[in-house]
Amino acid sequence: MASWSPVERDAVLYAASALFAIGTAQLASISLYQQWGRLAVGPYAFGAVASALAARRARHRQPQAAASADAGGRSGGDGGPAAPTGAAWHWTTPRAVIFLVVLLGATLMPLSLEVLWRTDSGGTAHVQPETAVVERSGEAWVSGRDPYTFIKPHQHITAPPGEPAYDVYNPYLPLMSLFGIPRSTDASPRLTDARVAFSVFTILVVVVAMALCRGPTGPRVLALQSMTVLPTAALPLATGGDDLPVAALMLLGLVLLQRRRPLWAGVALGVAASMKITAWPLAALAFLVARDRDGHRGRKPSLAVVAGIVGVMIPAVLPTAAENLSAFIENVVRFPLGLAGVQSPAASPLIGHLVVSLFPGIHRAFTATVAVAGVLALSYVLLRRRPTTPAALSRLVAWVMTVGILLAPATRVGYLLYPVDLFVWAWLLRSEGTVDPVPAEPERVPRPVPVGAAGVDPSDHDRSPRESGVRAGAGRARSRVLTSPAPAAGLGSVLVRDGVEP
């Protein structure tokens, strides 16, 4: 893959996305996912074919460009090969047009159609349950009601007509309710669908994050694709979409850490962590890689990250949680862990879910064991190989979330978009380090020796620390020689042997 051109990589990505759309249309158990697959396969196929044709055309142009460069070099240049300028990574007109067509066809068009069909039908067939939950919590927040309903154990759950019992639960943190506020207004239902707010917010935040990057265009394009047009973004945005704003804020927080803005990075991660628990692993470890504007680590930048996160989460989460703590824990903690006694829609047949399904009696013990083992393993990794850059942190969190998603009792395959994006961001941030390298740690200066000490020239205080250290070492050698109890007859030989002038 390293030898492929950018358009060749686009062709492979769009072809793989088309295969994913076909598999989703044929094999998905959710009708909404099947609809997205049927709508997206055409745009992805177009992107793959058009990118392949653009790559072939560019390959045919290479010999002509090389011949022109050689002719120019013979006519007036130095005859050497032209230095790579990295222009091949830049957006070209065909590549940008293909991207926009795929964005429109695979992301925006399915989203618009699903919102339209939901509005016309008035049912829940064209929307994922999380969208309705966010909209209902937003309406509760506007009307001054508690967005978390306390459900006692073994209590009969009364869900709204046409909705399953698990829709009564709200597993999101308070700031997620902001995306449901437009639903409480008198605007058209086609505009107040929470998926519209999810999409607009995600695209804006990703554009800001990419604008802050300064590295090669290749990683930035891939990060943009993974957050807008590839199935990691297109499928969630068209069906549910609540994970994409959280992922976009996580990306912005990592980019701000790379740009050495620890306070603003903490604010971005604090907003993400106040929306959904999936942002907590990154928010909890961000202080490890914080640096100040000069590129130095220390207590001050780490505290700035923590201050940004805590400064957002305390006013955003604490008042709502303290108002009804038992309801908050039941919705936000017990329900996502599968301990609320209600079958969660996030129940993909992954390892953890299969284990608790085969052995229901070990559900609580298995959940506790996985949590304790995960904390111990992460602690060991942090002690042995602590991440020092945002790229390393992104890669570590990607592995942590991959293992956690696979072993969690109640999870879904769609959550794997987080580790996939984190691995892409690790490549992006690693390339950013090549254009904005971290300065070397300051060199330790030898402790100054007081004036008047044995063998130290007082004029050393007018010299640099390095020169003073050299003179001090020579003075100590001279002192040892002159105070040696060696006989006078052997003094000359000692001085000559040690290279010290009498």
Side-chain angles (χ1 to χ4, degrees), residues 147-483:
Y148 303 101
T149 302
F150 179 66
I151 302 171
K152 298 180 180 180
H154 309 293
Q155 178 182 353
H156 179 69
I157 300 173
T158 303
E163 297 183 15
Y166 52 71
D167 276 3
V168 178
Y169 289 88
N170 178 17
Y172 309 112
L173 293 167
L175 283 191
M176 186 67 76
S177 303
L178 297 178
F179 294 99
I181 292 179
R183 201 67 173 178
S184 63
T185 63
D186 296 331
S188 172
R190 299 178 182 179
L191 299 177
T192 59
D193 192 297
R195 289 173 291 183
V196 176
F198 290 150
S199 302
V200 172
F201 182 85
T202 299
I203 293 174
L204 290 177
V205 174
V206 170
V207 168
V208 172
M210 293 300 99
L212 292 174
C213 294
R214 303 174 183 173
T217 309
R220 281 188 285 172
V221 171
L222 181 58
L224 179 63
Q225 289 172 325
S226 69
M227 292 294 294
T228 53
V229 300
L230 298 183
T232 50
L235 174 58
L237 287 177
T239 57
D242 61 288
D243 290 300
L244 269 297
V246 179
L249 287 169
M250 293 168 63
L251 170 61
L252 179 60
L254 285 169
V255 171
L256 289 170
L257 285 173
Q258 183 73 25
R259 295 272 69 82
R260 301 166 194 166
R261 300 294 186 269
L263 180 60
W264 288 110
V267 171
L269 294 176
V271 174
S274 300
M275 291 182 179
K276 201 168 184 178
I277 293 181
T278 48
W280 285 18
L282 179 60
L285 300 176
F287 74 95
L288 295 175
V289 299
R291 294 178 180 268
D292 59 18
R293 290 178 179 265
D294 297 326
H296 303 309
R297 292 196 302 266
R299 183 180 301 176
K300 186 176 181 180
S302 298
L303 291 178
V305 172
V306 175
I309 296 174
V310 174
V312 173
M313 292 193 68
I314 287 182
V317 178
L318 189 59
T320 305
E323 183 179 356
N324 194 345
L325 185 60
S326 57
F328 182 83
I329 294 176
E330 185 74 13
N331 284 266
V332 179
V333 180
R334 289 175 54 84
F335 176 69
L337 293 177
L339 302 176
V342 176
Q343 183 69 23
S344 171
S348 299
L350 299 175
I351 298 175
H353 179 70
L354 292 177
V355 169
V356 298
S357 298
L358 294 174
F359 307 98
I362 66 170
H363 194 149
R364 296 177 183 271
F366 179 79
T367 303
T369 302
V370 169
V372 173
V375 171
L376 293 177
L378 179 59
S379 301
Y380 176 80
V381 172
L382 293 177
L383 290 175
R384 295 297 300 270
R385 195 168 182 175
R386 170 180 169 177
T388 58
T389 63
L393 177 63
S394 181
R395 191 163 49 249
L396 173 63
V397 176
W399 283 114
V400 169
M401 297 193 73
T402 300
V403 176
I405 292 169
L406 294 177
L407 297 181
T411 186
R412 61 175 54 174
V413 177
Y415 288 154
L416 290 174
L417 71 89
Y418 286 103
V420 170
D421 286 334
L422 285 165
F423 281 123
V424 172
W425 302 341
W427 182 44
L428 168 70
L429 298 170
R430 188 168 63 248
S431 67
E432 289 289 305
T434 61
V435 297
D436 193 10
V438 176
E441 295 293 337
E443 183 180 356
R444 292 186 177 182
V445 179
R447 182 186 302 175
V449 181
V451 179
V456 178
D457 189 349
S459 62
D460 282 345
H461 286 267
D462 296 332
R463 298 183 176 89
S464 66
R466 184 179 297 275
E467 294 174 346
S468 299
V470 173
R471 289 292 302 273
R476 286 192 294 270
R478 184 186 304 114
S479 176
R480 286 195 301 270
V481 170
L482 295 180
T483 58

Side-chain angles (χ1 to χ4, degrees), residues 56-126:
R56 182 179 180 182
R57 184 178 181 184
R59 195 181 305 114
H60 283 296
R61 287 183 175 181
Q62 286 180 355
Q64 301 176 0
S68 301
D70 292 341
R74 286 193 298 269
S75 62
D78 57 2
T85 61
W89 285 106
H90 292 175
W91 281 105
T92 60
T93 301
R95 195 180 183 199
V97 170
I98 294 171
F99 170 82
L100 292 176
V101 171
V102 177
L103 174 65
L104 177 63
T107 304
L108 300 182
M109 185 63 68
L111 168 65
S112 303
L113 291 176
E114 295 295 344
V115 171
L116 177 63
W117 292 336
R118 180 197 182 190
T119 303
D120 293 340
S121 64
T124 59
H126 297 282

Side-chain angles (χ1 to χ4, degrees), residues 1-6 8-9:
M1 292 181 62
S3 62
W4 295 350
S5 67
E8 289 174 338
R9 297 184 187 186

